[in-house]
């Protein structure tokens, strides 16, 4: 057989083999679900956050107002967050929190022990504003906010924060109690509890009736507060945005 025909014959056979291999080769696929999951887990969100900066004995956390069910572990790269808290509270408290607006990034918590309770961390880059909580700036739902004069006092009741906090500026002191479920008694909504550490008791009685403060402004609730030592206070209150509260 002439050499030229032999060469052409082998070339045709090889071309057929390559074509057959190309047909039999399995298609390349991508697991899009895995890729999507990995992108979510490593996502870093940069934004401005508003909420409550909560300082405890061994922790500092941030409760996000945009997502009230989200509480982040705090890493303060700005080195100014703790100082801002201390300027508002003369005497640091394990129950204390302040209203804050910060610029930062939310990322996955790296410490495995912390991650169990706080899977996401807010890394604070800049502290924009901080102030003491009040009924206007606290975006996390509270149940009732009460206040009065002679002497001046204010009271926050919040199931979300798990606190009943009575502030007496004249004493430069805030009395803290864990939140207790409300009870009904003689037309009043009643909250009462005892602080075993500070050894103080409190009873708050709230009634839905018109109340006028010292400036003549009207509010929908009247309040009576009794603290250990027969300290009694009367004033007005507003109801928060907690839908579960009567």
């Amino acid at each position: 057989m002439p050499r030229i025909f032999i060469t052409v014959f082998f070339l045709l056979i090889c071309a057929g083999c390559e074509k057959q291999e190309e047909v039999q080769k399995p298609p390349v696929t991508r697991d899009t679900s895995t890729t999507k999951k990995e992108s979510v887990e490593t996502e870093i969100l940069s934004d401005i956050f508003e909420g409550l900066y909560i300082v405890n004995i061994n922790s500092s956390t941030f409760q996000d107002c945009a997502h009230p069910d989200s509480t982040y572990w705090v890493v303060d790269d700005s080195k100014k967050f703790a100082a801002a808290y201390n300027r508002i509270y003369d005497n640091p408290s394990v129950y204390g929190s302040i209203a804050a607006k910060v610029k930062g990034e939310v990322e996955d918590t790296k410490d495995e022990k912390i991650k169990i309770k706080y899977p996401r961390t807010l890394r604070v880059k800049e502290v924009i504003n901080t102030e003491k909580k009040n009924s206007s700036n606290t975006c996390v739902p509270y149940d009732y906010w009460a206040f009065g004069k002679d002497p001046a006092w204010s009271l926050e009741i919040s199931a979300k924060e798990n606190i009943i906090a009575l502030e007496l500026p004249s004493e430069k002191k805030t009395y803290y109690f864990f939140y207790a479920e409300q009870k009904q008694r003689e037309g009043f909504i009643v909250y009462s509890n005892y602080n075993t550490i500070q050894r103080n008791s409190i009873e708050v009685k709230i009634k839905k009736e018109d109340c006028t403060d010292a400036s003549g402004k009207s509010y929908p609730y009247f309040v009576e507060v009794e603290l250990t030592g027969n300290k009694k206070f009367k004033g007005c209150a507003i109801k928060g945005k907690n839908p579960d509260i009567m």
Side-chain angles (χ1 to χ4, degrees):
M1 182 180 292
R3 181 176 299 177
I4 187 169
F5 289 107
I6 295 174
T7 303
V8 171
F9 177 75
F10 276 105
L11 288 173
L12 290 173
I13 291 176
C14 291
C17 292
E18 291 177 359
K19 187 174 182 180
Q20 184 177 8
E21 287 179 359
E22 182 179 349
V23 172
Q24 294 179 350
K25 186 177 180 180
V28 176
T29 60
R30 176 177 294 176
D31 187 349
T32 56
S33 61
T34 302
T35 304
K36 184 177 181 181
K37 181 178 179 182
E38 290 176 353
S39 66
V40 170
E41 289 178 348
T42 58
E43 183 181 15
I44 297 177
L45 302 176
S46 298
D47 206 348
I48 292 176
F49 298 85
E50 292 187 68
L52 296 182
Y53 177 46
I54 306 165
V55 177
N56 214 314
I57 295 176
N58 298 313
S59 68
S60 57
T61 57
F62 189 88
Q63 198 165 351
D64 190 352
C65 279
H67 306 283
D69 291 330
S70 297
T71 300
Y72 308 123
W73 183 258
V74 170
V75 174
D76 184 16
D77 287 347
S78 75
K79 307 300 182 184
K80 296 180 179 180
F81 217 176
Y85 173 90
N86 291 334
R87 282 194 297 270
I88 291 175
Y89 283 100
D90 295 330
N91 299 312
S93 168
V94 297
Y95 307 99
S97 60
I98 60 174
K101 183 177 182 180
V102 301
K103 183 181 292 185
E105 297 176 348
V106 171
E107 61 189 26
D108 291 338
T109 300
K110 296 178 175 57
D111 189 304
E112 292 300 324
K113 292 182 179 178
I114 297 173
K115 192 173 185 177
I116 296 173
K117 188 172 183 180
Y118 303 105
R120 302 284 273 169
T121 290
L122 173 61
R123 188 173 289 276
V124 177
K125 301 296 184 180
E126 179 185 348
V127 178
I128 299 173
N129 183 53
T130 58
E131 59 181 327
K132 183 177 289 188
K133 290 187 302 177
N134 58 59
S135 59
S136 299
N137 68 15
T138 305
C139 51
V140 175
Y142 56 86
D143 303 0
Y144 292 96
W145 204 290
F147 34 82
K149 297 285 186 180
D150 301 322
W153 61 274
S154 65
L155 174 78
E156 179 192 6
I157 300 175
S158 174
K160 188 68 180 179
E161 293 184 67
N162 191 29
I163 61 168
I164 299 173
L166 173 64
E167 183 183 7
L168 301 178
S170 60
E171 296 184 12
K172 295 184 178 181
K173 188 173 182 179
T174 300
Y175 295 86
Y176 291 100
F177 305 86
F178 287 121
Y179 176 84
E181 292 295 332
Q182 62 174 248
K183 299 177 181 178
Q184 301 291 323
R185 187 198 308 160
E186 300 175 352
F188 285 90
I189 299 167
V190 180
Y191 295 89
S192 60
N193 214 335
Y194 180 77
N195 187 319
T196 56
I197 297 175
Q198 295 180 337
R199 296 183 179 179
N200 291 307
S201 63
I202 192 171
E203 182 176 79
V204 182
K205 298 168 67 177
I206 303 172
K207 190 171 186 178
K208 187 171 177 56
E209 67 177 35
D210 291 339
C211 179
T212 304
D213 67 7
S215 66
K217 188 174 180 179
S218 296
Y219 296 91
Y221 292 90
F222 168 76
V223 181
E224 293 180 349
V225 180
E226 184 170 353
L227 191 66
T228 297
N230 200 32
K231 296 180 180 179
K232 297 182 179 181
F233 309 90
K234 292 184 179 181
C236 304
I238 58 175
K239 183 180 176 182
K241 298 179 181 179
N242 190 337
D244 300 326
I245 300 303
M246 296 176 59

